[in-house]
Each structure stands twice: as C-alpha cells, then as structure tokens.
Amino acid sequence: MTLPPFPTDVRTHPLLIIDFELIKAGDPVETERLWDAATTLGFWYLKNHGADEEVNAMFDMGAETMALPLEEKLKFEQGDEGQSCGYKKAGSSAIDASGQLDAVEFITVSKDDALAFPHVARRTYPAPINAAMLTVVVPFVRKGLDVNYTVLRIFNKRLGLPEGTLDRLHDLEEYSCSHARVIRTPPLPGKATANRPTLGSHTDFGSLSFLHNRLGGLQVLPPGHTEWSYVKPIPGHAVCNIGDALSVFSAGILRSNIHRVVPPPGAQGDYERFSVVFFTRPGDSKVLRALAEDSSIIAETAKNQPEKNFETGSTAAEWMARRVKYQRIN
C-alpha cells in the first residue's frame, strides 16, 4: 500500500539527524551532535541504525495482532494495576485531566518475555506474537538494545560517570520495564479531529525510546514554545528521545521533553496509523535519583537547581507502575 506523502503546509520542528554507524565508531563530531540534541530538545533522528528489516516485520506482526477480534485481544489486557505489558484497548486511558479518552490501542511485549521465550517471565501474548517471537520480536528487541546501549555508553562518558555506571543501572540480567510496542490508531480524517490528541501530552517514563513511524502525528512542544509542531517521519530514520529516568539520573542535563500524538495531517488522516517502538528502562530495583555522588558534573548541575528535587524515592518499577496505573480511566 502506498501512503500519501506528509503535507508541506503544516508546522514541523527540525531534529538533528544522527548517524548511528558514526557514533558507534566513536566519531567525535557526530558524538558531539548527539550530545547537543540530547541536552537541548532531547529528540533526534537516527539513520543507518540497521533495523529496517526488523522494524518492517514488527509492523506486519502488529497489524496481524490488531486484526484479531477484540474479545481475543482482551484476554491479554494489561489491566488497571500498573502492568505495562500486554494489550491496551482504545479508550481505556485518559489523555488529559478532563478525562477525555485516548484513541490508541497497543500491544506491548516485555523485553524479559522476549529474551526468556519460550519460558514466561511476565505474561503470555496473543498467538501472532508467540508465532513471531523468535523470528520478529527478539531480533527487534536486540536491535533496540544495541542502539540504546550504544547511546547510554556515550552519555555515561559525557556525564563523567565511572565506566559502566549506566550499564549497571540498565542491567540486562535484571527484570525491567523495557518493552517492544506496536501502536495502532484508527483513521481519523477531516479537520474536526485534526488537533484532538489520540495519545495525550506526556514525557516518556524510561531512559531511551527508539521509535518508527510511517505516517505523521507525533508532535513536540520545544522548550520555550507555546505551539505544538509535527515531527516529520523520514523513511529509514528512527526518532529517538530521552525519558524521565535518564533526565533524573543526570539532574536534568539530558532533556526529557513533552510530546503527544494527534491524527496524521492532511490526506494521511484517512489511513490507520501504526508505530513501532522499543523503550529501554532501568532495572526494576534501581532507585531514580541524580547520580551526584558518581559525577562532579551532575553534582554541580543539581546544586545549581535547589528548587528541583532529583530524589524521587521511587524504584524504576514503582515509578512505571504508578504512571501506567493513573493514566487508566478506571
């Protein structure tokens, strides 16, 4: 299916395009550009990530899963207790304080289940996911981990942390809320719904997000701006961003920025919108607090912001469960 092009008459916000092959090779100029993106807007495009095949397979598997009857998908519902893996039906979460309901459904597979398969670490999943776990989900999870750990190690060095600090906080052996997710929004054509969020304004819970879109709809609110701007999808380019956990660990040096999803603009609004994303989050037991005792750079930054509290007192698992639970309309 050929999708209509992204329209040229809507406001977009330019993102830096970072070359993954260059940062993985330690290129100092590209690493500096990544640092600039991460400490200003907290969003960037990533090219040459080598995950196109895995991403396309995730889109196909996601479409097959979403085409199941609702009663079948509801057997795998994530529920109201803060569990984030499983199925979430449209209209089960609020997008704002007025209680307006979201329009997205998604299926989320835990990194722990993917890497333990066929053993069950967290929960079970619909048949199309089980059938594709080893050939589709696991390869995508491993690509997401490779990309995000490469970026974490660059940040670890730039923040002046002892080698391996961020790796230990995201220990692969520990259970975490790191997830692969496929999101579907139904077609919402016309101007009446154009600016109605399908997924409300939010910051991401975890450390890093590795996102793939074929249609527009993602919007950012850059610092100091009062109007939302689209992030234009570019074929073969992921959209990456910083989440709250990494922002807390760095005392706000790394920026977790607010964003939302609205219907695709223009003729793209006539089509259902799918997104594929991998979220890297800290190990469940890790406490979210500024790493001031490990880095003089972070300590100085925290000291200069006495009005901000970087001691959350929460573990990553508690933080995540609370955020998920209180978005649920129930």
Side-chain angles (χ1 to χ4, degrees), residues 47-198:
K47 69 176 183 178
N48 293 330
H49 48 66
D52 287 339
E53 194 178 318
E54 292 84 353
V55 168
N56 289 334
M58 284 289 291
F59 275 110
D60 292 344
M61 183 210 70
E64 187 185 349
T65 305
M66 294 306 183
L68 292 170
L70 180 61
E71 59 269 26
E72 179 62 23
K73 292 183 284 191
L74 287 175
K75 294 174 187 173
F76 304 93
E77 234 284 335
Q78 60 181 207
D80 293 316
E81 295 310 307
Q83 162 125 289
S84 50
C85 44
Y87 174 69
K88 189 206 78 69
K89 69 172 184 168
S92 58
S93 294
I95 61 166
D96 59 26
S98 75
Q100 186 179 326
L101 300 180
D102 69 337
V104 302
E105 59 174 337
F106 52 69
I107 186 79
T108 305
V109 181
S110 166
K111 169 267 291 179
D112 304 322
D113 283 317
L115 299 185
F117 193 81
H119 300 291
V120 175
R122 298 280 194 175
R123 66 162 311 138
T124 56
Y125 299 93
I129 291 177
N130 293 329
M133 190 72 84
L134 294 177
T135 55
V136 176
V137 182
V138 171
F140 174 68
V141 166
R142 292 204 181 280
K143 281 283 185 186
L145 290 168
D146 178 45
V147 166
N148 287 349
Y149 277 79
T150 299
V151 173
L152 283 175
R153 285 163 193 156
I154 290 168
F155 292 164
N156 195 93
K157 193 171 181 181
R158 290 300 301 256
L159 290 166
L161 290 163
E163 193 175 344
T165 301
L166 292 179
D167 269 38
R168 280 192 297 279
L169 288 166
H170 301 82
D171 184 355
L172 257 188
E173 299 304 310
E174 182 178 2
Y175 278 14
S176 73
C177 293
S178 295
H179 296 142
R181 177 176 290 170
V182 181
I183 306 161
R184 177 191 173 270
T185 312
L188 292 163
K191 288 206 168 6
T193 58
N195 289 312
R196 185 189 303 162
T198 55

Side-chain angles (χ1 to χ4, degrees), residues 30 128 199 220:
E30 200 69 358
L199 189 62
V220 292

Side-chain angles (χ1 to χ4, degrees), residues 250-329:
S250 67
I253 294 171
L254 297 168
R255 300 295 293 262
S256 176
N257 200 57
I258 198 161
H259 52 286
R260 69 177 187 178
V261 179
V262 298
Q268 291 193 344
D270 294 340
Y271 293 80
E272 60 181 356
R273 180 184 188 271
F274 279 91
S275 296
V276 168
V277 61
F278 183 75
F279 298 107
T280 295
R281 299 182 173 118
D284 280 352
S285 70
K286 302 301 187 280
V287 177
L288 300 186
R289 57 192 298 269
L291 303 173
E293 64 276 17
D294 296 317
S295 158
S296 58
I297 298 168
I298 295 173
E300 188 64 24
T301 304
K303 195 174 84 180
N304 291 335
Q305 303 174 83
E307 76 286 357
K308 289 196 176 165
N309 178 21
F310 295 109
E311 298 284 338
T312 68
S314 267
T315 65
E318 291 163 348
W319 174 280
M320 180 74 181
R322 192 163 60 238
R323 288 279 301 255
V324 172
K325 184 173 182 174
Y326 290 121
Q327 281 185 333
R328 298 283 295 194
I329 198 68

